[in-house]
Amino acid sequence: MQKSPNRESLLRKPGFQTLLASLLCIVLGLLVGFIALLIINPSGAGEAIMDIMRNFLNYSKRTTQIKNLGNTLVKTAPLLMCSLSVLFAYKVGLFNIGAAGQYVAGAGACIYCAVGLGLPWFVCMLASILAGAVVGAVSGALKAYRNVNEVISCIMLNWISLYLVNTLLSGVKNPTSPYTYSVTKKLVTVDGVQQVVDHPQALLPQLGIQGLFNNNKYVGLALPLAILLAVCIWVLLSKTRLGYELRATGLNKNAAKYCGMQDRHNIVLTMAIAGGLAGIGASMLYLTGFEDWSVTQSSVPGMGFNGIAAAFLGGLNPIASIFSSFFIQHITDGGAQLDKQVYPAEISSLISSLIIYFCGFVLFFKTSLNRWLDRRGEKPLTDKGGKA
Amino acid sequence: MASEYAIEMLNITKRFPGIIANDNITLQLRRGEIHALLGENGAGKSTLMSVLFGLYQPEEGTIKKDGQVVKINDPNDANALGIGMVHQHFKLVECFTVLDNIILGVEPAGKFGLLQKEDARRRVIELSEKYGLHVDPDAKISDITVGMQQRTEILKMLYRDNEILIFDEPTAVLTPQEIDELMQIMRNLRAEGKSILFISHKLAEIMAVADRCSVLRKGKYIGTVNTADVTMEDLSAMMVGRNVNFHVEKKPSHPGDVILHVENMTVASKVHKNNAVKGVTFDVRAGEIVCIAGIDGNGQTEFVYGLTGLEPLVDGKIVLQGKDITNAPIRERSVSGMSHIPEDRHKHGLVLDYSLEDDIVLQRYFEGEFTKHGFLRRPNIRQYAEKLIEQYDIRSGQGPVTMARSMSGGNQQKAIIAREIDKNPSLLVAVQPTRGLDVGAIEYIHRQIVAQRDAGKAVLLVSLEMDEVLDVSDRILVMYEGEIVGELDPKKTNPEEMGLYMAGAKRDTVKKEA
Ligand SMILES: Nc1ncnc2c1ncn2[C@@H]1O[C@H](COP(=O)(O)OP(=O)(O)OP(=O)(O)O)[C@@H](O)[C@H]1O
Ligand SMILES: [Mg+2]
């Protein structure tokens, strides 16, 4: 057996290499983002990139900082669910670019159940899971039984979902704005007249967590639930029989078929689970009342697409996704801190997309690192080669 | 030129996690010779050749070309030095044509970087005529036979003007006819002054075509001999360290009940409009080894796909132990007692990116022993894998956690065989089970197959190798153009008679089983 110094064997660990690679992607992404800022306006670029990275730390008061950290966490939960959705499908060899549409379907379902039907939060949440799962399953079924590339069907379903949801939610729209009523309201018809009444049951429970974030009323069940689900997905993939089957299908479809796994069934199931994850993600945001849905929006919300970035940045590991989702959300919110007169807030989207771009080089990075280690290892090994 | 050697690999050492694949190996290739490399599965042959081709960097040792020390960092360097390689598992782009694959990487570009294929086509055709390498330049790789794929790989080397040609187990996937052709091609290449390194497990081929032969065992260099001075027995003894029995010892068979009944089986073809299998009918009984012999491409593959459920039947009926499984899903066939050693181990047999232990339970992971309440029982899986690794001598760097992809071809095959036999089937369908195995392993596998028979199992062997067919089987069915054209008794027939049936020159009226 060959003995190598500890430091080297740590560098050889695939997990550690992924971490290094992800950090490198982040640095490169920020660097190129910084260059973009420089081009737009050189004088304030240094300050701007720091603002993005500082995000909630930009506020001087500690209590405001904490409250804003809470806001970032509120949006981290749905992002994490979208990244889980993407990575879960990816493990089975499917590229779920439809997380965005499944998320939209989930949003539509939970808002309608809350405002239109006046249902309590857990029913709304179930509805969003179901809606996302159905949209996902459609792509899955098209792939499994009609061999339609899932990327194509997902992109089309993203738009179909968006406009269906806009139409559906027009029924629960606030007449004075493009937005729906908040989920804390419900519509009831009394004697043929529609009335708006309070409906706090649709809000996710806060579990007292809001106390930690200076009473940020949006913080609650969502984040712990999302983290729990990340752990569940990790367990599902690595410890269970279903995970074993799904990974086999993703790695070698023919072998999966040969040993009698139901490949088609598994593809549909995978996409349904992935869709359900994205769907529940939507309810984690909308059932906090943090945002309302604008029924006039004509672009698919970016949450699902950011999920792709978070999934890849996390090296497609469910646990690492927790951190990468937080990071992506952190710099996305950081972008809002910029002086809008000078820099567009989209600069942070630019940075996160650059990061995904660089994630494409993770493999390259790992190979180069291994080569470098090989070359460096040559000498010391020669010395004790004889008795190895 | 200064050196008598085209290539010298001196004191090469290459380690992988947990294993020394090449331990201080020296190999010298003379100019214009065919030099065979022989060794058990996992002895380090492919690794050594990959070092020469620049795919791996050795920890120690030097490589000389024409007496000059050279550094080969990657296959591009190898190419520049005139070294080409045909890999054990081909590396062709499936959806490209033959011509595109040949020029890939050295595309002839004209003005504005536009592809100039005409010259390339002319050269390819020239080369193919010169060396008797028949290919259709415009056929897609996914549509052509393995033999033609291999000729494409050879043309790829010749097109690059390579002088040193490495063939890693080129004959493992070829039919006997194609092997003869390949041998002739290799001799032609030698006559043109090319130097050839040739890996094979088939001693007869080495004796027939090679000038010298170097032997490796467990990563170590054993020696180099002139093939003219030795016998096949000498070579095998050098390789495994003991005498190998080439003949399969077996007692007469005592067929029992019918286990498998196939009636009028008809399977569609993927490449042409006709059916690939046309109304095949026969029985396999407990305690007998029935062999389907034939030249590759006469419907054997489709027949097995139909039998095992990978493809639907157009017509016919399959009965396994009295149970109609004609339309049963694959899993049901498997748990009803059918085991299947597939023809293509990378396509069907293994999930290459799974660990060895995960691949070993591929047919049983759902059983109570390995799954409880939907969770895998890892300790049991480990234990079971360790048992089979021990029992079947599956060699790998890190035991149960080795990635299947990093294992040597022969050891991958052993893992599949272990899995399928240990499943304790009532019917074992073995397609080319010894493809790519060393003589010692073949001996072992044949003994296992006979042991299965003696334990009262029915065995259906599909093989392209005449020797294997004659040696192992109790009954031979010859398949020609999708039909069974004759049933032969291996004790009474001979290769010549079998050859006539296989070529379609002779056929019996298909007889109905009693
Ligand atoms: N990339 C790799 N990573 C780790 N181990 C490897 C790798 N490639 C080969 N090995 C190990 O090195 C040993 C030698 O393998 P190699 O493929 O050279 O054998 P071989 O002589 O070609 O055998 P076969 O006749 O079965 O093809 C095997 O034990 C194999 O598991
Ligand atoms: Mg090999």
Side-chain angles (χ1 to χ4, degrees), chain B residues 116-378:
Chain B
Q116 300 277 304
K117 277 201 205 164
E118 276 322 301
D119 289 347
R121 174 194 303 276
R122 216 169 305 125
R123 255 200 82 203
V124 167
I125 291 172
E126 244 172 56
L127 283 170
S128 79
E129 276 165 7
K130 180 164 167 196
Y131 295 102
L133 292 155
H134 305 292
V135 292
D136 169 5
D138 300 312
K140 258 202 205 151
I141 296 296
S142 50
D143 297 339
I144 62 180
T145 63
V146 233
M148 201 183 283
Q149 291 184 13
Q150 184 169 61
R151 293 196 285 274
T152 307
E153 287 274 18
I154 300 174
L155 278 171
K156 226 164 105 181
M157 297 195 293
L158 298 175
Y159 186 81
R160 286 162 178 69
D161 289 323
N162 289 325
E163 289 295 315
I164 290 133
L165 312 179
I166 306 169
F167 289 87
D168 192 352
E169 286 191 46
T171 56
V173 292
L174 299 186
T175 63
Q177 290 72 11
E178 286 172 326
I179 291 175
D180 289 342
E181 284 170 32
L182 178 70
M183 302 274 124
Q184 196 46 48
I185 290 167
M186 286 171 64
R187 289 191 194 99
N188 293 349
L189 289 167
R190 174 174 60 190
E192 290 285 322
K194 313 259 182 206
S195 315
I196 297 177
L197 278 160
F198 169 58
I199 299 181
S200 176
H201 287 296
K202 295 179 192 158
L203 301 171
E205 291 168 7
I206 292 180
M207 297 302 283
V209 77
D211 303 300
R212 296 196 301 155
C213 176
S214 291
V215 180
L216 307 184
R217 191 196 306 159
K218 296 193 180 166
K220 293 207 170 59
Y221 174 73
I222 301 297
T224 303
V225 292
N226 289 324
T227 48
D229 306 340
V230 291
T231 63
M232 295 209 310
E233 283 71 22
D234 297 336
L235 283 181
S236 68
M238 260 177 103
M239 174 173 131
V240 291
R242 66 182 164 87
N243 282 317
V244 176
N245 191 348
F246 290 104
H247 189 70
V248 183
E249 303 283 351
K250 65 184 206 311
K251 295 193 281 292
S253 78
H254 302 287
D257 298 338
V258 172
I259 298 286
L260 174 73
H261 172 68
V262 177
E263 199 176 298
N264 190 29
M265 192 206 271
T266 305
V267 186
S269 164
K270 292 234 139 164
V271 279
H272 52 76
K273 286 224 170 57
N274 297 335
N275 289 324
V277 181
K278 301 164 192 157
V280 166
T281 300
F282 66 89
D283 286 347
V284 185
R285 293 170 176 274
E288 71 169 347
I289 301 173
V290 173
C291 180
I292 298 193
I295 297 169
D296 196 17
N298 275 288
Q300 299 98 316
T301 304
E302 289 85 354
F303 168 78
V304 172
Y305 283 4
L307 179 65
T308 55
L310 284 165
E311 292 287 338
L313 299 192
V314 173
D315 193 15
K317 192 166 136 190
I318 308 169
V319 181
L320 182 65
Q321 287 186 299
K323 180 172 158 192
D324 187 333
I325 57 160
T326 312
N327 296 311
I330 296 175
R331 177 63 52 82
E332 193 183 323
R333 297 177 201 227
S334 169
V335 295
S336 311
M338 186 188 286
S339 265
H340 174 197
I341 298 169
E343 181 178 10
D344 188 333
R345 57 176 168 253
H346 283 184
K347 184 172 179 192
H348 290 120
L350 293 168
V351 179
L352 284 173
D353 292 305
Y354 264 9
S355 59
L356 175 56
E357 61 180 0
D358 281 0
D359 266 316
I360 279 183
V361 293
L362 198 58
Q363 298 277 24
R364 301 185 62 175
Y365 67 92
F366 48 86
E367 289 177 9
E369 193 187 342
F370 305 115
T371 300
K372 195 173 177 183
H373 306 309
F375 282 81
L376 295 175
R377 303 174 78 175
R378 283 278 162 207

Side-chain angles (χ1 to χ4, degrees), chain A residues 89-251:
Chain A
Y90 200 81
K91 293 274 178 185
V92 191
L94 300 165
F95 188 45
N96 183 21
I97 203 169
Q102 295 143 14
Y103 175 85
V104 167
C110 71
I111 295 172
Y112 190 80
C113 285
V115 183
L117 306 176
L119 296 167
W121 66 270
F122 51 89
V123 183
C124 301
M125 193 173 244
L126 280 177
S128 62
I129 297 177
L130 212 67
V134 168
V135 174
V138 171
S139 298
L142 284 171
K143 166 90 179 181
Y145 297 99
R146 284 280 159 267
N147 204 18
V148 176
N149 189 308
E150 75 277 8
V151 174
I152 312 263
S153 68
C154 277
I155 293 176
M156 297 204 282
L157 278 167
N158 284 348
W159 294 103
I160 293 172
S161 310
L162 178 70
Y163 288 105
L164 277 180
V165 165
N166 279 347
T167 311
L168 174 74
L169 294 187
S170 297
V172 295
K173 191 174 96 68
N174 189 334
T176 59
S177 78
Y179 292 97
T180 60
Y181 286 109
S182 160
V183 289
T184 55
K185 305 274 189 246
K186 68 176 169 188
L187 294 177
V188 286
T189 317
V190 183
D191 302 331
V193 186
Q194 210 173 46
Q195 286 183 2
V196 183
V197 297
D198 275 346
H199 176 51
Q201 297 92 314
L203 282 182
L204 292 179
Q206 298 189 308
L207 308 175
I209 306 175
Q210 79 279 17
L212 299 174
F213 296 93
N214 194 22
N215 281 325
N216 184 331
K217 65 177 175 175
Y218 304 114
V219 185
L221 175 70
L223 190 66
L225 182 62
I227 292 178
L228 181 73
L229 285 171
V231 176
C232 289
I233 290 296
W234 175 75
V235 170
L236 175 67
L237 279 172
S238 57
K239 306 275 175 209
T240 67
R241 171 186 153 176
L242 180 65
Y244 175 94
E245 281 200 6
L246 294 182
R247 280 183 300 128
T249 311
L251 291 168

Side-chain angles (χ1 to χ4, degrees), chain B residues 276-280 298 478-486 507 510:
Chain B
V277 181
K278 301 164 192 157
V280 166
N298 275 288
V478 182
M479 199 162 193
Y480 175 73
E481 293 195 338
E483 290 172 55
I484 304 284
V485 293
R507 63 162 69 201
V510 184

